[in-house]
Amino acid sequence: MISITKQWIEEGVENIYEATFNFLGILVMVDILTISNNEVSIYEVKSSTEVKDIYLHDVSIQYYVLKNLGFKIKSANVIHINNEYIRDDELDINQLFKIVDVTNEVISMQSNIPNILQEFETYLKDRENEPNIDIGKQCNNPYTCDAKEYCWKVQRNIPDYSIFNIFNLGSKKQIELYNRGIINIDDVPHDFDMTSIQAQAVENYKSKITYIDIENIKSFLQNLTYPIYHLDFETYQQAIPQYKGLKPFEQIPFQYSLHIEYEDGTLEHKEYLAQDSVDSRYELALKLCNDIPNDVTVLAYNMSFEKSVIKRLATLFEEFSEHLLAINDNMQDLMIPFQKKWYVTPSMNGSYSIKYVLPALEPEFEKAYKELDGVQNGSQAMNAFSKLAFLEEDEKQKPRNSLLEYCKLDTLAMVKILYILKNI
DNA sequence: TCTACGACCCACTGTATCTA
DNA sequence: TAGATACAGTGGGTCGTAGA
């Protein structure tokens, strides 16, 4: 790569992707290098929607290497996605990307780079001693450290569930406990400064009993009127919007499942699955309005997600706007009893995610997911949908059925969770 | 080649922490 | 102490890689 880069520069190529350089063992690959009038510009391309501090470190080391190799550097830049861009008929890449000149920031970081490199070299040369760095914020920020598994589990025996898993306990308090030699939740002192929810979670863990706040759960259930419409969307995202009216990374719904639960316990199921390779948002919005009246209770798990999808559809299609916004107003969140810690079991491990709540309440459901043919989780669902476009017509029915079965099980799980809440 | 998994991305919400 | 900001957790994704 280094020799090809050199060759292309000598041949006068003006734009080189993944241009590769080495200075005293420091290897860098510049996403885009532009060369004009004997000056080069560095462009670091990120799929993020903003410039983050860590990107500046990336660019600064590239700048350092190129400067030391004798290049005259005109500018250093970060290119990222503009999430405010809304695609029209044609894609406008000048609007899609934002180019941010970070030359001054990068230059100001140059003086410290030799010290950092020296530090790295010291660590690498010492084959006898491991770096002596204790657990801290740096373990997870800005990224999870590659050595975390070793440092935490092998060196320090931190268990899977520890004081680092206490709900919403900030890293400062986690470190405070850790510095006092407290790792297991069982050892957290009764008088340690925590919120009432955190203290309750700790007590529940210590006592190993299921905690149920019947009053609050009953009050939550009283707000639900029959029939109850259990709703779950499946969506996909694109950094580069494919259809008119889409923004980068917008959640594009392609499927929903709807279980309608009547007061006598009977269930009715409705569903929608888009055709592949087409913009199906209009059809989905139309079907959703046909399936859900504007005056019924709609239940979702972590409804902010469903609401944001529906709100976007309402903005796009004025003819459905009133109906869709009414559905949104009538939506309630099945996650609330677990998020508010009104129902906690030890096996939920402090989480209120449906991934923990469902197996804790209804272990049979894990089995049901495993017995599904083809699609057993969200990741497989996405794969199956994305592959539909490449199949012959007669090959599509089986994966489509798998997708429908998977999504159906999601809303059926919500029905089960609600049933358990009603029968406490 | 397929699958599982981890690291990263998004939006949104609630809570903790910081700062004026 | 109130408002702003940061963090943590939820849902939903994409992509690259290791291993079967």
Side-chain angles (χ1 to χ4, degrees):
Chain A
M1 287 295 287
I2 296 170
S3 58
I4 293 174
T5 301
K6 187 168 181 280
Q7 179 192 331
W8 285 355
I9 290 173
E10 285 166 1
E11 289 173 0
V13 176
E14 290 182 347
N15 301 304
I16 301 176
Y17 297 87
E18 296 293 332
T20 308
F21 304 93
N22 185 340
F23 172 69
L24 299 180
I26 312 299
L27 184 84
V28 296
M29 298 169 88
V30 180
D31 284 340
I32 304 172
L33 185 79
T34 66
I35 307 153
S36 168
N37 299 325
N38 290 322
E39 286 184 319
V40 299
S41 288
I42 296 167
Y43 294 88
E44 176 70 13
V45 184
K46 295 291 180 188
S47 66
S48 170
T49 55
E50 61 184 349
V51 177
K52 295 177 181 168
D53 281 351
I54 42 170
Y55 303 159
L56 300 180
H57 293 281
D58 259 7
V59 184
S60 68
I61 192 74
Q62 292 171 16
Y63 188 102
Y64 175 83
V65 167
L66 266 70
K67 196 79 186 168
N68 279 287
L69 288 172
F71 286 93
K72 193 175 175 193
I73 303 173
K74 187 179 175 190
S75 67
N77 308 272
V78 172
I79 301 180
H80 67 85
I81 301 273
N82 170 17
N83 61 353
E84 290 171 353
Y85 168 64
I86 299 174
R87 182 188 165 134
D88 211 324
D89 286 321
E90 298 298 325
L91 188 72
D92 181 347
I93 58 164
N94 292 316
Q95 294 287 324
L96 174 63
F97 294 110
K98 274 188 178 171
I99 301 173
V100 182
D101 188 325
V102 294
T103 312
N104 290 336
E105 291 92 326
V106 163
I107 289 173
S108 71
M109 295 167 87
Q110 292 303 298
S111 59
N112 201 29
I113 288 181
N115 297 332
I116 296 170
L117 292 175
Q118 181 62 52
E119 202 178 341
F120 288 169
E121 210 173 338
T122 307
Y123 280 132
L124 290 169
K125 274 184 178 167
D126 187 349
R127 304 269 170 162
E128 300 295 322
N129 303 298
E130 295 171 342
N132 184 22
I133 298 170
D134 207 348
I135 286 176
K137 283 184 84 167
Q138 74 283 350
C139 295
N140 295 302
N141 194 345
Y143 301 121
T144 303
C145 175
D146 285 346
K148 187 180 171 186
E149 185 79 8
Y150 175 73
C151 286
W152 285 49
K153 297 209 169 157
V154 179
Q155 284 189 317
R156 294 175 177 82
N157 293 317
I158 308 291
D160 284 337
Y161 194 57
S162 68
I163 52 130
F164 296 102
N165 302 92
I166 296 174
F167 175 74
N168 249 349
L169 189 69
S171 52
K172 201 175 164 186
K173 284 187 179 171
Q174 289 174 358
I175 299 301
E176 184 187 333
L177 281 170
Y178 176 72
N179 287 340
R180 287 164 63 179
I182 297 162
I183 292 170
N184 291 306
I185 294 180
D186 284 317
D187 301 327
V188 175
H190 289 280
D191 59 352
F192 186 70
D193 180 30
M194 288 183 290
T195 65
S196 57
I197 286 178
Q198 289 163 348
Q200 186 201 306
V202 167
E203 286 311 309
N204 288 344
Y205 182 83
K206 285 181 178 177
S207 62
K208 300 281 185 289
I209 59 166
T210 294
Y211 171 83
I212 302 173
D213 181 339
I214 294 176
E215 286 308 309
N216 270 320
I217 291 174
K218 283 208 182 314
S219 153
F220 168 80
L221 294 174
Q222 274 166 7
N223 288 327
L224 310 179
T225 56
Y226 286 94
I228 296 169
Y229 285 64
H230 299 259
L231 175 67
D232 183 50
F233 281 123
E234 300 295 327
T235 65
Y236 65 95
Q237 292 174 303
Q238 299 167 319
I240 301 170
Q242 189 179 0
Y243 304 117
K244 185 179 178 181
L246 278 178
K247 292 192 287 188
F249 297 114
E250 184 173 337
Q251 300 279 1
I252 308 163
F254 67 90
Q255 181 179 14
Y256 69 76
S257 171
L258 190 64
H259 265 100
I260 306 165
E261 181 185 3
Y262 295 93
E263 197 158 10
D264 63 2
T266 56
L267 284 177
E268 184 183 351
H269 184 247
K270 295 188 175 183
E271 61 195 358
Y272 171 82
L273 175 57
Q275 295 301 316
D276 53 280
S277 315
V278 293
D279 182 4
S280 56
R281 290 172 296 162
Y282 179 89
E283 193 179 70
L284 183 141
L286 172 66
K287 179 85 169 32
L288 196 69
C289 289
N290 285 336
D291 284 347
I292 306 179
N294 58 10
D295 58 353
V296 296
T297 293
V298 180
L299 206 55
Y301 204 97
N302 190 12
M303 68 179 181
S304 66
F305 177 74
E306 268 70 21
K307 276 193 164 184
S308 66
V309 170
I310 292 177
K311 220 185 292 174
R312 185 77 184 124
L313 291 172
T315 313
L316 280 170
F317 307 117
E318 210 183 330
E319 60 187 291
F320 305 131
S321 179
E322 200 177 325
H323 193 130
L324 289 169
L325 292 176
I327 291 173
N328 256 13
D329 288 344
N330 297 332
M331 199 176 288
Q332 307 241 26
D333 199 335
L334 186 57
M335 189 170 80
I336 294 291
F338 308 98
Q339 187 179 31
K340 302 276 188 192
K341 306 294 169 187
W342 298 337
Y343 197 130
V344 181
T345 76
S347 63
M348 288 179 190
N349 279 3
S351 169
Y352 49 90
S353 158
I354 197 166
K355 291 180 183 72
Y356 286 87
V357 169
L358 183 60
L361 267 54
E362 190 67 38
E364 280 297 298
F365 252 79
E366 270 196 310
K367 207 172 133 199
Y369 277 102
K370 282 176 184 159
E371 283 171 356
L372 285 174
D373 182 23
V375 176
Q376 295 175 346
N377 57 49
S379 173
Q380 290 177 359
M382 267 313 308
N383 278 339
F385 187 71
S386 63
K387 283 176 184 168
L388 283 178
F390 304 101
L391 297 177
E392 298 296 327
E393 279 309 310
D394 59 346
E395 295 173 325
K396 289 182 181 177
Q397 201 50 53
K398 194 180 172 202
R400 285 183 65 83
N401 287 343
S402 298
L403 280 165
L404 291 168
E405 282 303 311
Y406 167 73
C407 198
K408 185 179 177 182
L409 201 56
D410 276 350
T411 45
L412 194 58
M414 290 169 59
V415 173
K416 287 284 177 190
I417 290 172
L418 184 63
Y419 176 82
I420 289 163
L421 290 180
K422 282 189 295 190
N423 288 280
I424 52 175

